[in-house]
């Protein structure tokens, strides 16, 4: 968990490579569905583009299908889900049905100023979804992905005015979820204002203490 810009996607990707388990980003799933013109994409577009939340029943269905796929048998990392108590409860039901359980819930913490700076400078590859930053992680050639040569773009919801809205929304939605996972003794807070590798190190230490 963590506000937009706290580094959820970056850390989930690093963890996925380190642990060799899939990184499931609901934001990436929705953006792909929109780019490919899938029915799901049409349903969710207006929520995603305005920085609002997609209805729970849609998200619950998407995740319920994804975590039953074969590559999730050894574990998986959720990024961007759950975002409401209803989603957390449905996740728990799916985990019970698949004889699995959460090991750790990480809350990545960073100040609003850092979040806004990170998000408004973020650029994403249209083709492979790789993430860059105009100041902190610039691509070798402006506007072009280092990995696949795809075009970089700014997500519509990364514009400053929408970013502020998403951060505010996160604070409201996160409060209940954080206390739910605190009650389950699964929650650990990790400061993500340092670099991605330092943050990863802290997450791994927390994971080691739980598994
Ligand atoms: P993200 O890439 O995680 O910031 O997600 C981008 C957008 O996708 C969010 O602003 C929401 O509109 C939507 N979204 C992603 N995950 C969820 C979720 N679990 N519940 C509701 N909406 C979601």
């Amino acid at each position: 968990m963590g506000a937009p810009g706290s580094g959820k996607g970056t850390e989930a990707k690093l963890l996925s490579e380190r642990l060799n388990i899939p990184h499931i980003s609901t934001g990436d799933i929705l953006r792909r569905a929109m780019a490919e013109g899938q029915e799901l994409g049409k349903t969710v577009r207006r929520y995603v583009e305005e920085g609002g939340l997609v209805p729970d029943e849609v998200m619950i269905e998407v995740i319920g299908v994804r975590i039953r796929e074969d590559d999730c048998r050894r574990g998986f990392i959720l990024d961007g889900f759950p975002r409401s108590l209803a989603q957390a409860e449905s996740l728990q039901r799916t985990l019970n049905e698949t004889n699995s359980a959460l090991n750790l819930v990480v809350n990545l913490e960073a100040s609003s100023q850092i979040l806004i700076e990170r998000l408004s400078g973020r650029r994403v590859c249209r083709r492979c979804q790789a993430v860059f930053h105009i100041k902190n992680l610039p691509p070798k050639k402006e506007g072009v992905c280092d990995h696949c040569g795809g075009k970089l773009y700014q997500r519509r919801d990364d514009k400053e005015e929408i970013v502020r809205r998403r951060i505010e929304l996160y604070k409201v939605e996160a409060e209940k979820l954080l206390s739910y996972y605190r009650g389950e003794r699964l929650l650990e807070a990790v400061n993500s204002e340092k670099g991605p590798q330092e943050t990863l190190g802290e997450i791994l230490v927390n994971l080691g203490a739980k598994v």
Side-chain angles (χ1 to χ4, degrees), residues 26-27 30-31 48 52-54 59 80-81 83 87 155 166:
T26 43
L30 300 179
R31 279 185 291 278
V48 175
L53 282 183
V54 172
M59 297 314 305
F81 187 97
R83 265 177 156 105
Q87 292 182 12
R155 280 170 44 179
R166 289 167 60 207

Side-chain angles (χ1 to χ4, degrees), residues 4-5 8 17 21 37 72 74 143 150 156-157 168 185 195 197:
K8 294 191 299 289
E17 288 162 5
I21 55 178
C72 290
R74 283 187 52 251
R156 202 186 286 212
D157 59 351
E168 284 314 306
R185 301 197 176 284
Q197 291 298 339

Side-chain angles (χ1 to χ4, degrees), residues 9-22:
T10 304
E11 293 306 323
K13 182 165 181 288
L14 291 172
L15 266 176
S16 156
E17 288 162 5
R18 177 69 74 97
L19 304 175
N20 202 18
I21 55 178

Side-chain angles (χ1 to χ4, degrees), residues 22-211:
H23 163 200
I24 303 175
S25 154
T26 43
D28 283 351
I29 294 175
L30 300 179
R31 279 185 291 278
R32 193 168 314 120
M34 288 171 12
E36 291 175 356
Q38 296 171 21
E39 216 37 59
L40 171 66
K42 290 180 200 154
T43 311
V44 303
R45 180 177 296 277
R46 63 194 165 109
Y47 302 103
V48 175
E49 289 187 343
E50 284 164 21
L53 282 183
V54 172
D56 284 336
E57 59 274 19
V58 177
M59 297 314 305
I60 287 171
E61 165 74 17
V62 167
I63 279 292
V65 170
R66 180 63 188 91
I67 63 186
R68 284 184 170 84
E69 285 176 24
D70 275 353
D71 64 337
C72 290
R73 285 214 190 130
R74 283 187 52 251
F76 50 85
I77 300 152
L78 288 173
D79 157 17
F81 187 97
R83 265 177 156 105
S84 68
L85 266 187
Q87 292 182 12
E89 284 159 4
S90 107
L91 174 63
Q92 194 50 52
R93 283 193 294 277
T94 308
L95 294 174
N96 292 344
E97 282 163 26
T98 53
N99 282 326
S100 44
L102 291 180
N103 294 110
L104 175 68
V105 177
V106 175
N107 188 37
L108 295 177
E109 297 182 337
S111 71
S112 295
Q113 193 189 337
I114 289 190
L115 298 175
I116 292 170
E117 192 200 294
R118 281 185 186 162
L119 287 176
S120 46
R122 175 159 77 174
R123 299 292 181 272
V124 184
C125 174
R126 248 188 223 292
R127 200 184 297 161
C128 75
Q129 317 289 325
V131 177
F132 297 85
H133 188 281
I134 49 174
K135 264 203 239 135
N136 307 341
L137 187 66
K140 291 196 186 89
K141 191 173 167 214
E142 198 185 323
V144 180
C145 175
D146 289 355
H147 310 295
C148 75
K151 259 199 184 161
L152 302 186
Y153 77 109
Q154 181 177 36
R155 280 170 44 179
R156 202 186 286 212
D157 59 351
D158 278 350
K159 303 252 160 51
E160 186 162 337
E161 172 200 329
I162 301 201
V163 161
R164 286 182 190 279
R165 176 160 181 232
R166 289 167 60 207
I167 293 172
E168 284 314 306
L169 181 65
Y170 177 76
K171 288 186 187 152
V172 177
E173 80 197 28
E175 210 178 304
K176 283 188 194 134
L177 274 179
L178 293 177
S179 55
Y180 173 79
Y181 285 125
R182 205 173 286 121
E184 302 281 311
R185 301 197 176 284
L186 286 170
L187 186 71
E188 295 294 340
V190 170
N191 182 312
S192 75
E193 292 186 352
K194 290 168 259 163
Q197 291 298 339
E198 280 108 318
T199 306
L200 174 68
E202 263 192 60
I203 295 174
L204 288 169
V205 168
N206 279 299
L207 189 60
K210 297 269 182 196
V211 178

